[in-house]
Amino acid sequence: MNRRTAVLLSAAIVVAGILGSFAHAWWSGGHETVAEAAASRLPDDVPAFYRNGGKHLAHFAVDPDRWKNREMGFLRREEEGNHFLDVEDLDEKKLPGTHRYDGLKMIYTELKKEPNKVGMLPYAIMEYYEKLVVGFYDYRKAPTNTSIPMKCLVHGGTLAHYTGDAAMPLHTTRDYDGLKQADGTTKQKGIHAKIDGFPEKNKITPDEVCRGLEAKKIDDVWAHVNKFIEESHTHIPKCYAFDAAGEFDKPTAESRAFILARVRAGAQLTLDLWYTAWLRSEKLPNHW
């Protein structure tokens, strides 16, 4: 390999690494913080293995980003759309509240767009919420089966990743890493990574995040999740305003409070979905 080729290859690797980082909602520490904070506030009627499983849930909460490893061609492609929903690309339409395949059909046929570029985040949340419901049902039926707690923690941790993604405003917009300008340039490129790393770099802790959170039962999970994403979308201008003022590079009390509030929102959604899954599992019909 000559020197020019080596330099070009090195540059490509660096660029690929940077672009790959934009797909994350929080760095791994941020996702772990959301999961640990939510676990610490679970009510006593939730099984002890789950209430005490914060460290396990935190580990599993990072798995969806591990699944986007560039070497995993099939898995990465299947996973990439699960982490976001570009609200503007829905053209003011509502995703069908049935299942992922109806959503794929709508985006392909009605919107004439690529689903993995529009995003499938609400479906990822619903699917892992329902997997957790099934796992909790199995625990109710066979509480001494030691395999069941493991799968509940895996499903719940994975769910916590996607709920954390939903709380990060730039995972709800096509302007996820800068604002496109009329001349084709991008203003404020790099903002995504700044917000991703903020909780970890600025030592936002589970104890700080969980303070005052209380679990609430959700009556209509699909509607609640979509309303949460829409609300998260409203914070995009504030993200860009803080970045333009340099307050992510050099945090202020206001910018730190803003990010803390988003992490707390993710922890609250996670807590509520976990608790609702436990309650719903009590009346789930038999699998077969």
Side-chain angles (χ1 to χ4, degrees):
M1 181 186 297
N2 63 38
R3 183 179 178 186
R4 176 179 171 79
T5 302
V7 168
L8 290 173
L9 180 59
S10 297
I13 291 170
V14 169
V15 169
I18 292 172
L19 291 175
S21 73
F22 293 154
H24 303 295
W26 307 109
W27 283 1
S28 60
H31 280 296
E32 290 167 352
T33 296
V34 167
E36 282 195 61
S40 71
R41 300 298 296 173
L42 284 164
D44 290 344
D45 56 322
V46 175
F49 81 83
Y50 203 87
R51 287 185 282 112
N52 298 330
K55 292 296 183 183
H56 298 301
L57 290 161
H59 174 81
F60 297 132
V62 187
D63 277 346
D65 279 342
R66 298 183 179 107
W67 298 336
K68 292 186 292 181
N69 185 299
R70 285 183 295 277
E71 289 295 311
M72 301 294 101
F74 290 92
L75 179 59
R76 180 182 175 89
R77 180 62 175 163
E78 184 271 338
E79 181 60 29
E80 61 188 359
N82 287 340
H83 298 248
F84 64 93
L85 177 67
D86 292 349
V87 172
E88 307 94 336
D89 283 338
L90 293 178
D91 298 340
E92 299 186 354
K93 293 181 180 290
K94 299 291 185 182
L95 289 170
T98 49
H99 51 73
R100 177 184 293 261
Y101 295 101
D102 280 346
L104 291 168
K105 180 181 178 182
M106 187 197 103
I107 294 169
Y108 268 129
T109 62
E110 294 183 33
L111 301 180
K112 310 297 184 185
K113 295 177 182 178
E114 167 63 48
N116 269 4
K117 292 182 179 178
V118 174
M120 304 299 287
L121 177 59
Y123 296 108
I125 292 174
M126 292 302 300
E127 289 156 4
Y128 275 90
Y129 158 73
E130 291 190 349
K131 286 180 181 181
L132 183 58
V133 174
V134 171
F136 279 151
Y137 169 88
D138 288 344
Y139 178 79
R140 288 180 185 275
K141 292 295 183 181
T144 61
N145 184 330
T146 56
S147 298
I148 296 171
M150 290 190 287
K151 71 179 176 184
C152 290
L153 291 167
V154 170
H155 294 329
T158 305
L159 172 59
H161 183 98
Y162 300 125
T163 50
D165 282 352
M168 205 287 219
L170 298 187
H171 272 241
T172 70
T173 176
R174 63 166 74 110
D175 297 322
Y176 66 94
D177 190 45
L179 299 168
K180 299 293 189 297
Q181 304 299 294
D183 63 0
T185 62
T186 301
K187 187 178 180 181
Q188 293 177 252
K189 191 169 182 63
I191 182 176
H192 199 116
K194 294 176 188 179
I195 296 178
D196 280 352
F198 194 104
E200 198 166 326
K201 287 182 176 179
N202 294 282
K203 298 179 172 56
I204 291 177
T205 66
D207 287 343
E208 186 178 16
V209 172
C210 76
R211 212 165 291 148
L213 300 185
E214 297 294 339
K216 297 185 292 291
K217 179 179 179 291
I218 301 170
D219 293 325
D220 185 333
V221 175
W222 174 255
H224 186 87
V225 166
N226 281 276
K227 184 177 180 180
F228 183 94
I229 292 172
E230 289 168 6
E231 195 277 334
S232 187
H233 186 74
T234 67
H235 295 285
I236 293 166
K238 206 161 192 178
C239 289
Y240 277 96
F242 276 127
D243 182 55
E247 294 184 59
F248 292 141
D249 297 305
K250 295 183 178 180
T252 61
E254 291 77 14
S255 64
R256 190 180 193 281
F258 173 72
I259 297 297
L260 174 60
R262 298 315 305 154
V263 177
R264 280 173 56 82
Q268 183 70 66
L269 179 62
T270 305
L271 173 61
D272 293 344
L273 284 171
W274 284 347
Y275 185 52
T276 302
W278 171 246
L279 296 177
R280 185 179 173 190
S281 69
E282 184 177 13
K283 296 182 180 178
L284 199 68
N286 292 333
H287 299 325
W288 43 72

